[in-house]
Amino acid sequence: MQLAQRINQAPETMSELRALNARFIHNFVTNDVPSHDAILHPGFTGIMSNGMRIDRASYLKRWATAFDPKVIVYWDTRDELITIMGNIALVRATNKHTVRRDGKDATGMTTYTDTYLFENGAWKCIQAQLTPVASEHQPADDTIISVYIEGRLQERLS
């Protein structure tokens, strides 16, 4: 299938990108490096919430241990927005998380933009960027699309 034909199939492409976003999150919560490696472009770059840029190898090394279900006791994905522009897709959403340390919970939100390139018949993530969300900009609970509690998927609403 030629690129122009593939991209013009918006409902199919949107479903594919929604599934990739769900897989991206699931890979994170389960520390699934091989599955995550398969959706990253060889030239991938990560931009962390503190502004630090990391290469693909460093990102995947961090991926193996970044989510600890004993520490991150709640994780949801909400406010998903996907925009396709030719062979580039922006997948944006927000994660609410509750971190438990020394018996105390702290809740916050981070929004992300994952940039995908459609190349050689597949969408591959070329960049992921994280940004903390101030309380006045946090999306409402009615935009939740998936919930994980202590690392286990509770529900997927999309």
Side-chain angles (χ1 to χ4, degrees):
M1 184 181 292
Q2 292 192 354
L3 179 63
Q5 293 172 327
R6 174 81 173 124
I7 299 304
N8 287 335
Q9 296 176 357
E12 178 183 310
T13 302
M14 292 297 281
S15 293
E16 186 177 356
L17 288 163
R18 279 190 189 94
L20 273 171
N21 190 38
R23 181 176 168 190
F24 199 108
I25 295 301
H26 190 74
N27 290 346
F28 176 64
V29 173
T30 61
N31 299 307
D32 189 339
V33 175
S35 180
H36 201 61
D37 182 40
I39 65 175
L40 296 183
H41 189 275
F44 174 85
T45 298
I47 303 174
M48 309 312 291
S49 60
N50 64 1
M52 179 179 67
R53 294 181 194 157
I54 60 174
D55 64 21
R56 188 177 193 278
S58 300
Y59 184 84
L60 286 170
K61 183 177 179 183
R62 182 182 177 281
W63 199 264
T65 59
F67 192 98
D68 180 347
K70 290 180 172 60
V71 175
I72 304 172
V73 296
Y74 177 88
W75 185 272
D76 76 35
T77 302
R78 57 182 64 206
D79 196 33
E80 181 179 67
L81 174 64
I82 298 172
T83 306
I84 302 167
M85 296 164 282
N87 66 338
I88 299 289
L90 300 177
V91 177
R92 295 157 289 198
T94 299
N95 297 120
K96 180 178 181 179
H97 55 273
T98 301
V99 175
R100 182 170 295 149
R101 287 198 174 91
D102 300 323
K104 295 181 183 174
D105 290 353
T107 299
M109 288 193 193
T110 303
T111 195
Y112 60 87
T113 301
D114 297 332
T115 305
Y116 286 85
L117 173 65
F118 189 78
E119 178 177 79
N120 300 320
W123 289 102
K124 297 292 182 175
C125 186
I126 58 174
Q127 180 174 289
Q129 182 166 354
L130 301 170
T131 305
V133 180
S135 59
E136 65 269 21
H137 300 295
Q138 294 180 350
D141 289 350
D142 65 354
T143 66
I144 294 173
I145 58 173
S146 65
V147 174
Y148 289 83
I149 297 177
E150 295 178 351
R152 290 184 297 279
L153 182 63
Q154 303 299 303
E155 59 184 295
R156 180 163 286 132
L157 305 174
S158 64

